[in-house]
Amino acid sequence: TVENIQTQRGFHDLRSFILVCAGNDKDLASRVYNCMLWLGLKNAPVSDPSSVVNSFCDLLEQHLQFEDGERDMVCMHHDIKAHFDDGSVESHSCSMQLFGDDSMTAMCKTVGYTAAIGAKQILEGGITKKGLLLPTSKDVYTPSLELLAKEGIIFEEQVHFDEEYHHAV
């Protein structure tokens, strides 16, 4: 238990142990303490002594399950503005909203499908470059976005062109 760890490190109460672990940040320590109480970490047994991570995941599964009728949602939005030497400006915005359903969470869809599509493209020869690749190359992102759209993950994109840009002084 957490109490065993605090005792092993020479602390007699949980609050002072957390405060030291939080670098003496009282606000952070208070939030951590309240979260630990809510999760039941103060006296929770370790379910898998060989793995703290697995034990923590077991605890999170008990406390963070969706209730009937609940679902998750993933929202993504970005705005990018490009200023060019000729004074022109391009504004790009992109938004995506996805809800989980009874068969899969939105987080699972956005993370899992994206990874699967990347692997598929590599295995089928769609991506031939080697090493760490960023998805900023059209040969990577165009087919990826098309395949994501087939899975219901659709990005709404807008581009606005300004003829002239004037710096405010």
Side-chain angles (χ1 to χ4, degrees):
T1 66
V2 172
E3 285 184 335
N4 292 344
I5 295 170
Q6 99 191 17
T7 303
Q8 289 171 359
R9 300 223 178 136
F11 292 89
H12 297 291
D13 69 290
L14 185 58
R15 285 184 186 268
S16 61
F17 174 61
I18 293 171
L19 183 61
V20 169
C21 291
N24 289 318
D25 181 333
K26 289 180 182 179
D27 181 55
L28 176 61
S30 176
R31 288 184 289 141
V32 168
Y33 181 78
N34 290 333
C35 182
M36 288 179 71
L37 289 179
W38 181 79
L39 286 171
L41 276 172
K42 187 174 179 184
N43 298 311
V46 176
S47 62
D48 182 355
S50 67
S51 173
V52 173
V53 173
N54 286 345
S55 295
F56 189 59
C57 286
D58 290 342
L59 191 63
L60 290 177
E61 284 179 6
Q62 294 171 20
H63 291 279
L64 300 179
Q65 293 183 19
F66 290 120
E67 298 290 331
D68 289 340
E70 288 183 333
R71 60 186 177 160
D72 70 331
M73 173 181 67
V74 172
C75 292
M76 182 184 297
H77 178 81
H78 66 255
D79 289 310
I80 299 171
K81 192 172 267 194
H83 302 268
F84 298 98
D85 290 339
D86 66 358
S88 64
V89 178
E90 284 183 23
S91 300
H92 294 249
S93 67
C94 182
S95 299
M96 184 272 299
Q97 180 181 31
L98 183 71
F99 290 94
D101 54 39
D102 291 337
S103 65
M104 197 180 309
T105 65
M107 182 62 79
C108 182
K109 291 176 185 181
T110 56
V111 173
Y113 288 148
T114 303
I117 287 168
K120 178 180 178 170
Q121 287 184 283
I122 291 168
L123 292 171
E124 293 179 353
I127 296 175
T128 57
K129 295 177 184 172
K130 305 289 183 202
L132 178 63
L133 304 177
L134 297 176
T136 54
S137 176
K138 281 189 177 188
D139 60 328
V140 173
Y141 71 75
T142 299
S144 296
L145 290 173
E146 290 170 0
L147 291 168
L148 284 169
K150 289 181 181 178
E151 299 299 337
I153 302 172
I154 299 168
F155 292 84
E156 301 293 332
E157 298 178 69
Q158 294 181 351
V159 179
H160 177 61
F161 299 96
D162 295 333
E163 292 299 320
E164 216 173 312
Y165 175 74
H166 301 284
H167 289 300
V169 179

